[in-house]
Amino acid sequence: MEKICVAVRVRPSSSENGSSLWKVEDNRISLHKSLDTPISTASYAFDHVFDERSTNACVYELLTKDIIHAAVEGFNGTAFAYGQTSSGKTFTMTGSETDPGIIRRSIRDVFERIQTIKDREFLIRVSYMEIYNEEINDLLAVENQRLQIHEHLERGVFVAGLKEEIVSDAEQILKLLDSGEVNRHFGETNMNVHSSRSHTIFRMVIESRGKENSSTDAIRVSVLNLVDLAGSERIAKTGAGGVRLTEGKYINKSLMILGNVINKLSESSKLRPHIPYRDSKLTRILQPALGGNAKTCIICTIAPEEHHIEESKGTLQFASRAKRITNCAQVNEILTDAALLKRQKSEIEELRMKLEGSHAEVLEQEILKLSNQMLKYELECERLKTQLEEERRKQKEQEQCIKEQQLKIENLNNLVTNSDFKTNKSEDFVSLRRKPDGRCNVSDSSDVLGTPFFKSAERSFVVARSNYSGLSDFSPMVDSLGDVADEDTWTKLNKGFVADLDQLQFTPAYKRQTTPLTAATAEHLRENHKEVEDLKSQIELLTSEKNSLQVKFHEQVVQNNKLMEQMSEIKQETLPMKEIPKRLFESVGNCKDVYKDVIVTMKTLMGEKESPTGKLIFGATKITTSLLSTLESQFSMIIDGQKSGSNVEHPLSDQWETLLGSLKNTASSLVSDAQAQNKILNSHYKGQEAAAMEEKLKSELSNIKERYNELEKKLSMDKQLLQASRESHEKLEKEVQFLKEERDSLDAAVSQSTQRLRVIASDKENALKDLNVEMKRRKEMEEEIKQISFAFSSRQRSLMSFHNEIKSKMQKLTTQNPKSK
Ligand code: ADP
Ligand code: MG
């Protein structure tokens, strides 16, 4: 039993010339009047009193260091700062760059200390939380809000779901603390306002065990809490309203309950009434630190200014009461089975030695001790029972999980059946939609892609510990139990409760529950196995479905390739057609050449250019040249259009008609002109010369006429050919377009089915992964259950034999020494 260590710290005055009202002498603080006469009622003595000039280094050295070192040895430790806002709590706990506070100094000291302990290995986990408006929020993981407090026989009070970070050096923790501070800013514009209205708790869990070849196998677990409380001022003084008022009420409530707890604890321990730890989250978390199994120090900070005098007095009264609290700190050890057996053996040996000395008093003491132990074992048996129950509960959760997986697979099936391949209407889809028992599944198709919710196992205490390779042979105890021990049992445990001998007789005989429990578990396992088999068959079906889809996909690819080939063939066919306009163009060129030859011949025949026949012929020449040029330009346009790939409309087709018309007109006018000319010639030259001339001209004219007719025929044929080629070209173009569309739609269908295949494959993979994880977990669970039942039965056996041994020895003793009774 030891008293809580209480210190007071006065912060420097905020005004320059403010002489403090509080006088500090050694470990006493007193209120002075202006004439330096102390007010008799206002003088308090504490373990330490730190004045304005004190540093955090000094506070740490004198107040906290021992607690930190004890925590490394396996004792729970708590240090907290209490006082009104701006009295220096945060300065003391967190400190400044130049003078780090208790938290930072403790972190560094813990790691320095660990370095010096060579025969033990350590595992350190840290968490950082705040209590704001009676809600616990995780400062290391913003998503963990409104956490709940649970109580466990072995672990004591703990915050469920709080992130515990395993750390290996001081720097890592300091970084975590900084990130925690950032999280504290969340939603608050004024950090100071927030901080003075929330309690923050920084927690280190220090686990250690002896390295190999060391004498003890026990694991030591200690919890170190470093707390910066909210400001303790009254709301009336702050003049708050609205949100601030609500906050104030919560702060006042939790601090008032803290005061109540401290008041009750400070009363004489014999009269000690019920302690209202459960009335606030703060007192529940600090329960072991207040009158429980922990070494605790409180630093009460006061502001020296005159207008804070009432608050300061309040703080000092709180500190005086806290000074009276006694705690019972003991090293927290968890024994492994091997260590427990070793210890029991040595104790029996010791007992035997003492029995041989046969002093009744000593014996009585020993018996008392043993009965105390028996009580402890009883409690442990109870705990094991609850653990087994917890196991069953977990099994149920797993069953639920498997059901959800089944649902997921059914959803996948639906996904497959809902895919709209026209070709995929085969019967095998129907078979998929059926459950193994033949019933049809009618799950909602809108939920097809929804991923079922998998409940992941809580990151339990054991899981956290298993990260620490050195502790793998730790006794198989599940720590994440939600069982809540009542407060009195806990207090009893903390206080080292001693039972009397009579109680030993009244202890009910142990009921061996392992067999039925194991049978029930086995039944669960069998059911689970069946479900796993079902899942497997579902996955097989899915695989076959996937394969058939793949085959279809390949078929489609082949079809697509065929279509592509056809398209290229058609393109090949269209190529010669494209040549037609070119050929026409060339033939027009030839015509032009022939025509030029004719003109040249005519020119040589014509003596006089200025004669009326000459004029006529030159007029006709011009028209024909323009006609041929038009033809040429027409064909070159068609060729250009083909090259650019555009569907050329033929704007010159009207021109064709007009040109042909004008050609005809010119030809007929030429003929009539020639005839008129003939008459004139007949009248003018009636000689032989004239007749010969006329004959020559006539034959030339008919020659030209013939050539012209030939040209016209050729032209109209070419025109027809062009028309036909244009039509067939258009037809082919349409066909190509159609094929293109068909190919595009096929492409889209193929990519859609590929997408689906991918989704199905990934879903299948996920389901398989989940299944594997589930199987693994189940195996671990089975193993754990086996170990627990084995440990349980072996412990029971040893207990019974131990019990029998004692009984027989007692009987022997009573028969040997009937007087000593
Ligand atoms: P609380 O956390 O109690 O509301 P703070 O720790 O924030 O108060 O202190 C209020 C102000 O006083 C801060 O600016 C802090 O730096 C300063 N302060 C408090 N205690 C001391 C001290 N011992 N020495 C120097 N400055 C201090
Ligand atoms: Mg503060």
Side-chain angles (χ1 to χ4, degrees):
M1 302 289 257
E2 58 186 294
K3 292 247 190 269
I4 282 182
C5 187
V6 181
V8 169
R9 186 180 195 185
V10 187
R11 76 150 158 75
S13 176
S14 52
S15 56
E16 298 244 315
N17 54 352
S19 60
S20 179
L21 288 165
W22 297 95
K23 195 152 205 162
V24 177
E25 281 165 336
D26 297 329
N27 55 1
R28 179 166 281 277
I29 180 166
S30 42
L31 185 60
H32 278 241
K33 280 183 178 170
S34 48
L35 291 169
D36 259 16
T37 47
I39 300 165
S40 59
T41 51
S43 176
Y44 307 84
F46 297 100
D47 295 301
H48 303 280
V49 179
F50 300 100
D51 63 14
E52 295 92 330
R53 286 158 300 168
S54 62
T55 59
N56 284 333
C58 163
V59 174
Y60 180 77
E61 200 64 29
L62 291 171
L63 192 67
T64 352
K65 196 175 157 189
D66 290 344
I67 289 178
I68 304 304
H69 289 182
V72 177
E73 305 292 333
F75 291 93
N76 292 335
T78 298
F80 66 85
Y82 178 97
Q84 70 175 112
T85 300
S86 86
S87 58
K89 297 183 297 297
T90 305
F91 185 86
T92 305
M93 297 310 293
T94 308
S96 61
E97 279 294 316
T98 48
D99 190 13
I102 285 171
I103 296 178
R104 277 159 201 271
R105 285 175 192 275
S106 303
I107 291 166
R108 290 195 194 285
D109 206 6
V110 163
F111 282 95
E112 273 167 27
R113 194 76 183 162
I114 284 171
Q115 294 297 317
T116 64
I117 303 172
K118 298 280 180 229
D119 60 340
R120 297 187 75 79
E121 46 193 3
F122 287 85
L123 170 73
I124 301 198
R125 290 173 278 141
V126 295
S127 54
Y128 194 25
M129 66 190 123
E130 88 176 342
I131 306 176
Y132 179 66
N133 286 356
E134 251 339 66
E135 277 167 6
I136 303 174
N137 301 326
D138 197 336
L139 292 177
L140 296 188
V142 243
E143 66 278 11
N144 295 346
Q145 305 269 315
R146 301 177 184 199
L147 302 174
Q148 295 301 313
I149 297 176
H150 290 296
E151 198 166 333
H152 182 259
L153 267 176
E154 197 182 305
R155 268 182 89 181
V157 182
F158 67 97
V159 180
L162 186 69
K163 186 172 181 184
E164 280 191 335
E165 200 70 67
I166 295 177
V167 288
S168 50
D169 57 48
E171 293 310 316
Q172 201 184 343
I173 307 183
L174 296 178
K175 271 190 199 141
L176 283 173
L177 275 178
D178 289 342
S179 70
E181 279 308 319
V182 173
N183 290 343
R184 247 183 119 184
H185 293 196
F186 192 75
E188 272 294 329
T189 44
N190 186 343
M191 159 80 177
N192 277 329
V193 169
H194 187 106
S195 74
S196 64
R197 279 157 207 283
S198 68
H199 312 296
T200 54
I201 303 173
F202 170 70
R203 177 173 274 207
M204 272 173 110
V205 181
I206 306 169
E207 281 189 19
S208 72
R209 71 160 199 183
K211 285 183 180 161
E212 268 172 44
N213 306 328
S214 95
S215 53
T216 167
D217 293 332
I219 295 166
R220 289 180 193 162
V221 185
S222 55
V223 179
L224 181 65
N225 292 311
L226 302 173
V227 188
D228 185 358
L229 292 180
S232 63
E233 66 276 1
R234 271 178 255 125
I235 328 168
K237 194 176 171 184
T238 55
V243 180
R244 292 287 104 89
L245 185 69
T246 328
E247 285 172 348
K249 274 182 192 161
Y250 280 120
I251 300 161
N252 272 39
K253 192 186 158 208
S254 66
L255 287 174
M256 191 190 78
I257 292 159
L258 177 66
N260 277 351
V261 165
I262 284 178
N263 275 350
K264 296 221 162 133
L265 284 169
S266 64
E267 286 168 14
S268 160
S269 62
K270 274 183 190 159
L271 302 170
R272 187 180 288 177
H274 167 75
I275 314 288
Y277 292 116
R278 283 166 182 273
D279 287 1
S280 82
K281 300 232 156 80
L282 178 69
T283 46
R284 278 205 84 190
I285 291 174
L286 294 181
Q287 184 173 339
L290 302 166
N293 174 16
K295 288 175 180 282
T296 302
C297 72
I298 305 177
I299 176 137
C300 296
T301 53
I302 58 173
E305 290 81 15
E306 193 166 359
H307 57 276
H308 290 315
I309 200 157
E310 286 308 315
E311 296 299 342
S312 301
K313 275 188 191 168
T315 304
L316 291 173
Q317 271 154 15
F318 174 91
S320 312
R321 280 196 296 271
K323 213 162 65 85
R324 275 179 262 159
I325 300 173
T326 48
N327 276 1
C328 175
Q330 57 190 32
V331 173
N332 303 305
E333 283 193 330
I334 300 169
L335 288 173
T336 59
D337 284 349
L340 192 70
L341 279 176
K342 223 192 249 176
R343 250 184 216 193
Q344 280 176 351
K345 258 188 192 169
S346 74
E347 273 168 8
I348 287 167
E349 203 50 48
E350 215 178 296
L351 196 68
R352 191 169 287 141
M353 300 274 281
K354 279 177 184 168
L355 271 172
E356 276 161 18
S358 87
H359 293 295
E361 262 176 51
V362 178
L363 268 175
E364 231 164 27
Q365 261 184 17
E366 289 307 324
I367 286 164
L368 211 65
K369 203 171 149 191
L370 281 170
S371 66
N372 199 5
Q373 259 187 356
M374 288 286 281
L375 194 79
K376 268 193 190 168
Y377 291 144
E378 262 179 35
L379 279 170
E380 207 179 343
C381 285
E382 278 299 315
R383 193 176 59 74
L384 280 169
K385 266 189 217 167
T386 49
Q387 269 178 7
L388 279 169
E389 263 161 24
E390 179 63 14
E391 285 301 325
R392 283 160 81 186
R393 194 179 61 74
K394 274 191 184 169
Q395 280 278 332
K396 270 187 191 157
E397 269 179 20
Q398 277 183 339
E399 275 169 41
Q400 184 62 28
C401 190
I402 286 166
K403 271 182 198 154
E404 277 163 358
Q405 268 183 333
Q406 256 185 326
L407 200 71
K408 190 181 172 186
I409 285 166
E410 278 168 11
N411 283 346
L412 275 174
N413 292 346
N414 285 343
L415 178 77
V416 173
T417 35
N418 285 345
S419 65
D420 54 356
F421 293 117
K422 283 167 198 159
T423 44
N424 285 1
K425 284 178 182 168
S426 59
E427 285 298 308
D428 35 353
F429 281 87
V430 182
S431 68
L432 252 176
R433 251 177 289 169
R434 290 180 193 283
K435 286 182 178 179
D437 57 4
R439 280 182 290 125
C440 265
N441 181 25
V442 283
S443 70
D444 185 3
S445 63
S446 66
D447 193 28
V448 158
L449 292 168
T451 315
F453 168 65
F454 288 93
K455 204 170 184 186
S456 59
E458 274 177 52
R459 187 177 157 81
S460 66
F461 187 60
V462 169
V463 174
R465 179 180 288 130
S466 68
N467 289 346
Y468 183 52
S469 60
L471 295 176
S472 54
D473 58 344
F474 175 71
S475 156
M477 291 168 181
V478 182
D479 290 52
S480 64
L481 303 181
D483 58 334
V484 173
D486 78 333
E487 208 163 84
D488 292 333
T489 319
W490 181 239
T491 319
K492 276 177 200 172
L493 272 177
N494 288 337
K495 292 287 163 198
F497 180 75
V498 178
D500 60 15
L501 194 59
D502 295 339
Q503 209 170 338
L504 195 64
Q505 262 86 39
F506 285 107
T507 309
Y510 297 114
K511 280 181 190 161
R512 197 182 162 83
Q513 289 200 358
T514 18
T515 324
L517 279 176
T518 320
T521 324
E523 180 56 33
H524 280 309
L525 283 174
R526 261 199 299 283
E527 278 173 24
N528 288 343
H529 264 298
K530 213 182 124 215
E531 272 161 19
V532 169
E533 287 306 315
D534 287 351
L535 277 173
K536 271 186 189 164
S537 65
Q538 297 271 17
I539 282 168
E540 270 165 28
L541 277 172
L542 261 180
T543 318
S544 72
E545 175 54 28
K546 196 193 108 186
N547 290 342
S548 79
L549 271 174
Q550 251 167 351
V551 168
K552 269 163 198 160
F553 170 72
H554 287 308
E555 277 171 11
Q556 273 178 345
V557 170
V558 169
Q559 214 179 332
N560 189 30
N561 287 345
K562 264 188 198 164
L563 278 170
M564 296 284 269
E565 272 171 25
Q566 276 178 4
M567 265 169 72
S568 69
E569 274 171 22
I570 288 167
K571 266 186 190 162
Q572 288 289 331
E573 277 173 27
T574 55
L575 278 180
M577 287 188 188
K578 279 180 187 165
E579 294 289 303
I580 293 171
K582 210 175 159 188
R583 287 214 306 267
L584 283 172
F585 180 71
E586 281 165 10
S587 64
V588 170
N590 287 339
C591 284
K592 227 177 165 180
D593 292 343
V594 173
Y595 183 69
K596 269 180 192 162
D597 287 348
V598 172
I599 295 293
V600 170
T601 327
M602 274 170 78
K603 272 180 186 168
T604 52
L605 284 173
M606 287 277 296
E608 248 182 280
K609 274 187 188 170
E610 292 307 311
S611 70
T613 321
K615 273 181 189 167
L616 269 172
I617 286 168
F618 282 113
T621 310
K622 267 181 194 168
I623 291 169
T624 316
T625 315
S626 85
L627 168 75
L628 287 172
S629 313
T630 314
L631 266 174
E632 254 182 341
S633 71
Q634 173 100 20
F635 287 126
S636 80
M637 262 179 79
I638 290 170
I639 292 164
D640 288 349
Q642 271 181 356
K643 272 180 194 160
S644 66
S646 62
N647 197 7
V648 183
E649 282 297 314
H650 305 287
L652 295 179
S653 49
D654 290 343
Q655 221 174 319
W656 268 106
E657 301 301 325
T658 40
L659 263 169
L660 273 176
S662 72
L663 203 65
K664 268 181 189 165
N665 289 342
T666 318
S668 55
S669 76
L670 265 175
V671 172
S672 60
D673 277 0
Q675 279 166 356
Q677 201 70 32
N678 255 349
K679 278 176 190 167
I680 297 163
L681 281 171
N682 281 343
S683 62
H684 276 259
Y685 310 98
K686 283 181 182 170
Q688 272 187 348
E689 248 181 80
M693 191 73 177
E694 190 194 323
E695 212 43 50
K696 210 177 178 181
L697 269 172
K698 260 185 187 170
S699 73
E700 281 296 326
L701 205 66
S702 68
N703 240 347
I704 290 168
K705 250 186 180 175
E706 254 171 44
R707 283 199 175 200
Y708 172 76
N709 283 340
E710 259 174 42
L711 262 176
E712 211 179 26
K713 264 184 199 165
K714 213 174 177 181
L715 202 69
S716 76
M717 258 170 69
D718 277 355
K719 206 183 160 191
Q720 273 172 12
L721 206 64
L722 185 72
Q723 190 60 33
S725 88
R726 199 188 286 164
E727 271 167 15
S728 80
H729 182 79
E730 270 167 16
K731 217 169 121 190
L732 277 171
E733 210 119 83
K734 266 184 197 160
E735 215 169 312
V736 167
Q737 191 60 32
F738 175 71
L739 281 170
K740 256 186 196 165
E741 275 165 16
E742 205 173 330
R743 195 195 63 178
D744 285 350
S745 75
L746 267 170
D747 270 353
V750 165
S751 74
Q752 223 179 347
S753 63
T754 320
Q755 196 71 24
R756 286 219 173 98
L757 266 173
R758 247 182 243 141
V759 169
I760 288 169
S762 83
D763 280 351
K764 198 194 105 183
E765 223 167 76
N766 285 346
L768 267 173
K769 263 186 207 159
D770 290 342
L771 196 67
N772 279 346
V773 170
E774 201 49 50
M775 295 279 278
K776 213 171 142 198
R777 257 181 54 181
R778 195 157 309 134
K779 265 184 199 152
E780 280 170 8
M781 198 82 104
E782 271 174 57
E783 203 52 43
E784 227 172 300
I785 290 168
K786 264 187 212 158
Q787 282 182 353
I788 288 172
S789 36
F790 179 72
F792 183 66
S793 61
S794 77
R795 214 166 282 182
Q796 252 191 338
R797 268 201 304 280
S798 79
L799 210 60
M800 286 308 286
S801 70
F802 186 52
H803 193 90
N804 289 341
E805 207 179 329
I806 292 162
K807 257 193 182 168
S808 69
K809 267 174 193 157
M810 271 170 63
Q811 274 169 4
K812 220 164 135 191
L813 274 171
T814 29
T815 48
Q816 277 174 2
N817 301 324
K819 274 180 195 171
S820 71
K821 209 176 175 186

